[in-house]
Every structure is written in structure tokens, then in C-alpha cells.
Amino acid sequence: DSGVTQTPKHLITATGQRVTLRCSPRSGDLSVYWYQQSLDQGLQFLIQYYNGEERAKGNILERFSAQQFPDLHSELNLSSLELGDSALYFCASSSRTVSNTGELFFGEGSRLTVL
Amino acid sequence: AQSVTQPDIHITVSEGASLELRCNYSYGATPYLFWYVQSPGQGLQLLLKYFSGDTLVQGIKGFEAEFKRSQSSFNLRKPSVHWSDAAEYFCASRDNYGQNFVFGPGTRLSVLP
């Protein structure tokens, strides 16, 4: 158990719909990362937040947005869903303490299926 | 730009055989390097990490990796593979200043009985 919690584990929805994926980082971790994993694209970095602020942006579509709340949990919002958005979405958290090498701890992912 | 390559998309080995998964990184300084394993339907689990010191690092599940600066490599090894090692393996690097994580494309390991 990594300590990172993601909900829901599975989600099936239709094209054009909007979904929200939720992530609770490990206790004390300030950084949250979102990744998308699909069969043809591998593990793609979407976005990173640090203590509530956006820190880095990767290949995140304009239809997608995220935020990190004061309690450090994060949500990834996916709108106007397309078939190609079907994927496994991972959240990971990291600490930035001096004694820590800052490795990522991953949740078990949210599997999104768009029909 | 920082990048990580894993030349082998898929490797098949027999149970009990030795294993080496290749990883090359591109970064101006010595990055922090990691190997993760992903079993089907699961999240990524950290196997081991390198950031300084001894270039041979030991990880969980009997894995080890060796950092070679001259070759910009961080190859993962295991002397005797078990059927439960069948999974996807990802090499990753992080720069020294921020938390810019870069993952390789992954190597899928199949284990024959």
C-alpha cells in the first residue's frame, strides 16, 4: 500500500460527458502528479501541483483540468470525453524533504472507459 | 531536454534465468534514477533508486541496478527470475532542481515456465 488513494477505481461513461477523478496523497506529501496511461501512448505526464499551486504541465488537453485543494487532495476533471480518453489515470505524490530523494508514490489508478 | 530510453519493448526469459533490463538517460548532471514495476491492473511500485554514492544499488524483490555515468545507463538486473516477476518495468529520472520526473516507455517482461 503506497498510501496514495484514488477514487473511483473504475468508471464507465459516454462520449461528451464529464468526470472527476480524485486523489488523496500520502500523509505529508505536498506534490501531486497526474499521469495518463494508455496502450498506445505509454505513461504520459499530465500535470503537477505543489502545495495547491500548479508547478508543471505536460501533455494535458484543454478539455482536462486539475486542482489541488488546501487539504492537499487533488481532482482531475475530464470534460467533453472522447473514445480516445479511455485510459488508466494515475495519481502520484512526492515529498520534498531534504532527506528524501523525491521518488513518486503511485495510487492504483482510475480506469476510465468512454463508450 | 531530460529523457529516458528503454531500448527493449518486450523481453522473454525462462524462469530461473538471469535478467537485465536496459535504461539510458539523457541529462546534463547526474539525475536521480528510479526503477518501477507495474503488475497488470496495478499501480507502479518503486523497486529501487539511485541518487549518489555506491553505483550498485539493491532494491526489493531481489533486484539490483548499476549506475554507469560513462554510458549514461542504469540497467536493472536480477540473477534468477521468478514467474511472479512478469510485469512492466519503467525506468525514470528526476532532475536535481525541481521534480521534473521523466519515465521511459517501459519494458514488458514475460517469464516462461
Side-chain angles (χ1 to χ4, degrees), chain B residues 10-33:
Chain B
H10 184 204
I11 284 182
T12 301
V13 299
S14 297
E15 191 169 19
S18 64
L19 171 71
E20 182 169 29
L21 302 183
R22 295 183 292 165
C23 171
N24 293 95
Y25 67 90
S26 172
Y27 184 62
T30 300
Y32 294 173
L33 296 165

Side-chain angles (χ1 to χ4, degrees), chain A residues 23 25 30-34 47-50 68 72 74 91-93:
Chain A
C23 169
L30 301 180
S31 278
V32 169
Y33 298 71
W34 285 98
I47 198 164
Q48 180 207 350
Y49 280 82
Y50 177 77
Q68 186 179 27
L72 300 178
S74 178
C91 169
S93 73

